[in-house]
Amino acid sequence: MRKYTYLLALLLVLTLSAGCAQGAALKPGDHPPVELSAWVADWDSQRGTEEYRQLKHHLAGVSCFTASYDQDDKLTVPAEVRAFAKAARKEGQAKRYLSVANDWQDKTGRKHAKDQALLRRLLADDEHKESAVREMIAAAKEADCNGLELDYEAFYKDKSLLQGYLSLTYKLSAACLRENLDLRIVLEPGMPMDAGLCKGPEYVVMLYNLHGRHSGPGPKADGAFIRRTIQKMAAIPGRKGVALATGGCLWEDYGLLGLKKGAARFVDEVEAAAMVKAHNGTPERDEESWALHFSWQEKGHSYELWYADSETINAWIKAAADEGITDISLWRLGGNCHVKGIRMK
């Protein structure tokens, strides 16, 4: 019992200390001009395409998400991704990226996301890396995309995988240059930015997942997190931008500083707004992130909801632009209430 009391006291001190260390409040407002890009995901392609058509004249590029692997480590592109890439070309979209993730699907249809074992096979040696590069190039061309986006995640803490990944990016960059394909590389915020990234690609750092299913309630990003991550990005060579996340997360029965917790799941803005309306509530605006949050009790359970609306996104864009970032990517289109309200300046 004494051990748990000490643990609770320590967690309380750390929580209060973190709260005191937060930066100044965020607000939307005028900022240096930025260029917008966005993702459309295969599992929400209908709503994503609808929002794309609302926003297309403001987008410098779109990422068609996602190409992944089958049980034999062969790269596959869903029909929904192909259809959206074709539609985007007809709409006159100049930059269309095929996004490749380290996900794979087994024979039963079960999806394995951000899989390190898959990466160990793909990055095993130069022959495997070169084969992976050839597959990506061919898939992008076949899908009618004029760019590639590498979105391998959850590997950088493994030094061997990190070195193999860096080697792959050099090979991929050279191949894209030969084939006249643009290349974007997506990085997690925890990635060591000084690891030796190659010059040439555009790098996009994710400014989200500050809070999510891995943590307790809170926003996907706040001012302190945005500024801290952008400062780390100084080590990245060449062109660099950031990605901001729409939607949010719902936590069930989270309490006692994490010693008590139920399920947590991601939600889009449309879902979040419907939850608030169903409980006749009014969400509060968090000053340090400009995100919305709302709590309620139902059937013996407590719920806490945090999510972004267009004003949240605008505040995050301003924070990034004020730090010198001019390229902003939105994860993702689909399930947003007022996507046309996002401001470029």
Side-chain angles (χ1 to χ4, degrees):
M1 185 66 182
R2 184 176 298 174
K3 180 176 72 173
Y4 289 111
T5 302
Y6 173 77
L7 177 60
L8 283 171
L10 178 60
L11 289 171
L12 180 59
V13 169
L14 291 174
T15 302
L16 291 174
S17 298
C20 294
Q22 295 298 311
L26 287 186
K27 282 189 178 181
D30 294 339
H31 55 75
V34 298
E35 281 193 353
L36 288 180
S37 299
W39 282 271
V40 171
D42 59 327
W43 64 84
D44 200 7
S45 60
Q46 182 175 344
R47 292 193 307 171
T49 302
E50 290 170 359
E51 291 187 12
Y52 166 75
R53 291 190 170 123
Q54 296 177 48
L55 205 59
K56 65 180 181 179
H57 296 301
H58 302 291
L59 294 178
V62 291
S63 293
C64 309
F65 193 88
T66 179
S68 58
Y69 296 85
D70 65 14
Q71 67 273 6
D72 298 316
D73 296 346
K74 298 299 181 184
L75 191 63
T76 63
V77 182
E80 295 86 352
V81 170
R82 299 174 188 272
F84 173 69
K86 184 177 180 181
R89 182 176 184 180
K90 287 184 177 179
E91 298 281 354
Q93 186 65 57
K95 289 187 177 181
R96 305 174 306 281
Y97 297 90
L98 177 66
S99 189
V100 181
N102 56 317
D103 301 344
W104 68 282
Q105 188 168 301
D106 61 28
K107 293 180 180 179
T108 68
R110 181 187 173 195
K111 188 174 182 180
H112 305 261
K114 304 175 184 178
D115 191 77
Q116 287 193 4
L118 170 64
L119 286 185
R120 289 191 183 94
R121 297 191 297 272
L122 295 177
L123 305 176
D125 51 37
D126 283 345
E127 183 179 350
H128 282 81
K129 294 170 199 168
E130 289 161 6
S131 176
V133 167
R134 287 194 297 269
E135 273 200 302
M136 291 185 215
I137 296 287
K141 290 183 174 181
E142 187 179 351
D144 202 15
C145 291
N146 52 12
L148 263 170
E149 178 179 87
L150 186 66
D151 189 12
Y152 286 174
E153 297 180 30
F155 65 86
Y156 63 84
K157 293 181 180 180
D158 184 308
K159 291 183 179 180
S160 176
L161 281 180
L162 176 59
Q163 291 307 309
Y165 168 84
L166 292 172
S167 174
L168 174 76
T169 63
Y170 276 80
K171 294 178 184 296
L172 183 59
S173 180
C176 285
L177 188 61
R178 289 193 301 269
E179 299 294 334
N180 198 30
L181 292 173
D182 291 327
L183 176 60
R184 282 167 40 114
I185 297 180
V186 180
L187 302 176
E188 295 174 89
M191 175 79 175
M193 310 298 180
D194 58 354
L197 298 167
C198 66
K199 296 179 181 179
E202 174 188 0
Y203 290 95
V204 181
V205 177
M206 300 186 301
L207 289 187
Y208 50 87
N209 288 343
L210 177 63
H211 294 88
R213 291 184 300 187
H214 64 285
S215 72
K220 286 189 174 182
D222 63 18
F225 171 70
I226 290 171
R227 288 184 284 270
R228 182 171 67 248
T229 305
I230 290 175
Q231 288 168 7
K232 287 173 53 181
M233 289 170 57
I236 297 176
R239 185 175 178 179
K240 49 203 168 192
V242 299
L244 303 172
T246 60
C249 196
L250 174 69
W251 288 265
E252 179 184 338
D253 293 333
Y254 190 92
L256 295 176
L257 299 176
L259 296 180
K260 174 190 175 187
K261 55 184 176 180
R265 68 179 181 90
F266 291 120
V267 297
D268 58 45
E269 185 191 355
V270 170
E271 287 181 278
M275 291 176 190
V276 174
K277 183 177 179 181
H279 294 88
N280 300 312
T282 301
E284 295 182 23
R285 182 80 67 179
D286 174 60
E287 289 190 355
E288 290 169 355
S289 65
W290 215 243
L292 295 168
H293 58 100
F294 179 69
S295 301
W296 72 93
Q297 302 282 329
E298 184 178 10
K299 297 181 180 179
H301 296 280
S302 61
Y303 296 89
E304 187 165 349
L305 172 68
W306 284 74
Y307 65 101
D309 64 358
S310 60
E311 288 300 291
T312 311
I313 300 295
N314 286 335
W316 292 345
I317 290 175
K318 175 174 169 53
D322 286 347
E323 293 290 324
I325 297 297
T326 59
D327 294 312
I328 305 289
S329 296
L330 303 176
W331 172 262
R332 59 180 174 83
L333 299 183
N336 302 296
C337 296
H338 303 290
V339 70
K340 292 182 73 173
I342 294 172
R343 299 174 55 182
M344 296 173 57
K345 61 182 180 178

